[in-house]
Amino acid sequence: MTKIIFIVCDGLGDRPIPEFKSKTPLEAAKTPNLDFLAKNGITGTLNTTWHDKKPESDTAHLLLFGYDLNRYYTGRGPFEVAGLDMKTQPGDICFRTNVATIDENLKIIDRRAGRINNTAEFAKLFNNSVNNKVKFLLKKGTAYRLGLIMRGKKLSANITQNDPKKVGVKVLKVKAQDNKPETKFTADVLNSFLKIAHEKLKNLPSNKKRVKQGKFPANYFLVRGAGIYPKIPSFEKKYGLKAVCIAGAGLYKGIGKILGMFTPGVQGATGLPDSNLKAKVKKVFSLYKNYGFFFVHFKAADSLGEDGNFKDKKRFIEKIDRAIKPFLSLKKAILVITSDHSTPCELKTHSTDPIPILIYNKKIKADKVNKFSEKECANGKLGHFKASLLIPKILSFFNT
Ligand code: ZN
């Protein structure tokens, strides 16, 4: 039975950094295991852009898994919501949500409320609240995130977001993107909910305390990625491989669940730099017999890149390198190590810079690349290719 271990190091790719003698965090990191796999495997670079836009994690993963976004993608919200085990119903509109900090003029001070690490209080406060006969369901997500569902008659997901994705500017009004009455109604009800939520959040004792302590209060909900739950073929149906998703952060568990992958919880897997990566690797071994495809997601290189924190990004890459060591002893597995996009520290956001990839198997004829890095992999045998070709490429390569 084919065994593919498919490791996605989110936001791995980067650009040279002067403080690292003009190396990227991946180049500067000590990664003997990744380098062994690159040296004894084949390498290349890929990209995950859709409509030539800056890659987002959800669409980038669907492209890595070979799904046609024009056909199946309805927005990010459903993946976030599925990852939090929120039950959906037909007609529900799902959103990804952050708590943020805004000032009295509704200008954004911090899009993640100082990366506050628990939103349970805010979710509880508004879960099951009703506005204009529309029910709002909220659940806490990883760190500053929440899942949000609007449930009611005749709602539409064809609305804009209220997140300008910049600090120092006013939050946006949610707008209808077509002329249908249900779309305008959805936007109006959501705007009303967001306004009421802001008033309540800003007066919460815990937020007043945060202000006194010089911290950012979580006084606003930023909502993005409105979407209805998609109809999408499972990974197993598409490739004939029973699949597992091993992830800590909600979005990736949601992607796994929507693609029909078994998505077990892993003790200590947080999606944060402190995540227990070794426990994730152990989980693969415990399920190894019964599945063919193991999607293993390591998140924090992305968030550290978004923070411009190149030292900790380098450290996290070293932590990945140590964690994956047990995979080197597998005799038949095909190991794939790549990312969904680059998150250069100098940009503090995702970019279209090519992503390194390596494929390793004990029987594979290696190319001449000796190190797993952005620059080295550009010389690899796989060349530069579109992410959507990756899984068919792996399957044809090994004639599975
Ligand atoms: Zn990502």
Side-chain angles (χ1 to χ4, degrees):
M1 185 180 170
T2 308
K3 303 280 182 191
I4 300 173
I5 297 173
F6 193 94
I7 299 169
V8 180
C9 311
D10 208 297
L12 178 69
D14 213 300
R15 294 181 182 177
I17 290 163
E19 288 88 339
F20 281 161
K21 298 180 184 160
S22 293
K23 289 179 177 175
T24 66
L26 179 58
E27 286 172 330
K30 283 198 184 87
T31 54
N33 298 310
L34 289 168
D35 294 343
F36 171 88
L37 295 170
K39 188 171 181 207
N40 295 287
I42 51 174
T43 60
T45 57
L46 50 80
N47 73 56
T48 51
T49 49
W50 182 43
H51 296 326
D52 289 329
K53 282 191 217 155
K54 194 173 73 174
E56 293 290 342
S57 291
D58 56 346
T59 48
H61 275 77
L62 290 173
L63 288 169
L64 281 173
F65 295 138
Y67 284 86
D68 178 352
L69 297 179
N70 293 317
R71 202 163 158 196
Y72 297 118
Y73 187 68
T74 65
R76 176 151 167 166
F79 297 100
E80 297 278 353
V81 160
L84 298 175
D85 278 331
M86 293 175 82
K87 297 270 175 285
T88 51
Q89 292 179 7
D92 282 355
I93 312 298
C94 312
F95 300 83
R96 64 180 301 209
T97 305
N98 288 2
V99 282
T101 307
I102 62 171
D103 68 12
E104 59 280 9
N105 300 314
L106 306 183
K107 280 188 182 165
I108 296 199
I109 299 171
D110 191 292
R111 288 183 55 252
R112 302 176 184 97
R115 285 198 182 270
I116 193 167
N117 61 13
N118 194 336
T119 58
E121 181 191 5
F122 319 122
K124 201 175 159 200
L125 190 62
F126 297 101
N127 188 34
N128 284 315
S129 59
V130 176
N131 186 316
N132 270 287
K133 295 187 180 168
V134 174
K135 195 182 242 189
F136 286 79
L137 301 157
L138 287 91
K139 192 170 175 183
K140 113 183 181 61
T142 310
Y144 50 85
R145 302 176 185 91
L146 304 102
L148 169 68
I149 295 174
M150 285 177 80
R151 178 169 296 161
K153 281 183 188 157
K154 282 203 166 183
L155 298 175
S156 164
N158 197 16
I159 54 173
T160 60
Q161 60 185 20
N162 69 343
D163 184 357
K165 290 194 141 191
K166 273 191 251 178
V167 292
V169 295
K170 249 180 133 169
V171 296
L172 304 170
K173 268 234 153 16
V174 176
K175 287 184 183 152
Q177 299 192 99
D178 60 43
N179 294 323
K180 291 178 187 162
E182 59 262 38
T183 315
K184 189 179 179 304
F185 173 72
T186 310
D188 288 347
V189 174
L190 182 55
N191 282 320
S192 163
F193 168 80
L194 292 167
K195 197 175 168 205
I196 293 166
H198 173 51
E199 289 304 316
K200 282 194 181 170
L201 286 169
K202 110 181 147 182
N203 292 312
L204 266 187
S206 62
N207 271 329
K208 289 193 167 166
K209 194 174 158 197
R210 287 178 70 80
V211 173
K212 265 192 192 158
Q213 290 171 336
K215 293 179 182 169
F216 291 119
N219 62 13
Y220 196 72
F221 289 131
L222 288 175
V223 295
R224 292 194 266 160
I228 52 167
Y229 207 87
K231 278 188 192 137
I232 189 164
S234 73
F235 189 90
E236 184 175 358
K237 196 166 180 198
K238 195 166 166 63
Y239 297 111
L241 290 168
K242 265 178 90 179
V244 178
C245 162
I246 293 171
L251 171 65
Y252 311 93
K253 289 189 206 163
I255 291 170
K257 281 179 185 166
I258 287 183
L259 299 185
M261 297 179 182
F262 172 52
T263 306
V266 180
Q267 194 79 31
T270 59
L272 301 171
D274 70 355
S275 189
N276 190 344
L277 309 189
K278 286 185 178 169
K280 290 182 171 176
V281 172
K282 266 192 187 161
K283 187 62 95 177
V284 172
F285 280 91
S286 74
L287 298 166
Y288 193 68
K289 264 189 191 166
N290 299 322
Y291 292 87
F293 186 88
F294 301 84
F295 160 40
V296 184
H297 185 261
F298 297 134
K299 172 70 184 165
D302 174 50
S303 26
L304 293 165
E306 284 180 341
D307 289 343
N309 186 346
F310 54 84
K311 279 187 185 153
D312 282 347
K313 183 169 177 180
K314 168 182 164 278
R315 274 187 210 118
F316 189 75
I317 293 167
E318 289 170 344
K319 183 172 168 177
I320 291 174
D321 186 77
R322 290 191 296 274
I324 60 148
K325 193 174 181 190
F327 291 142
L328 272 58
S329 64
L330 288 168
K331 290 202 174 74
K332 290 186 181 161
I334 300 161
L335 279 180
V336 181
I337 300 180
T338 191
S339 181
D340 55 343
H341 51 76
S342 296
T343 309
C345 292
E346 75 170 54
L347 299 181
K348 295 187 176 182
T349 186
H350 302 178
S351 78
T352 54
D353 295 67
I355 306 155
I357 169 152
L358 73 81
I359 301 175
Y360 169 84
N361 172 268
K362 279 224 180 338
K363 287 189 178 162
I364 209 165
K365 197 168 175 292
D367 61 18
K368 287 180 180 151
V369 169
N370 288 319
K371 187 170 165 49
F372 188 54
S373 76
E374 297 86 343
K375 216 190 284 172
E376 289 288 320
C377 289
N379 300 317
K381 187 174 168 178
L382 290 166
H384 181 67
F385 60 100
K386 281 185 179 172
S388 53
L389 301 174
L390 177 57
I391 292 183
K393 219 181 234 290
I394 298 165
L395 295 176
S396 68
F397 207 80
F398 290 93
N399 276 325
T400 58

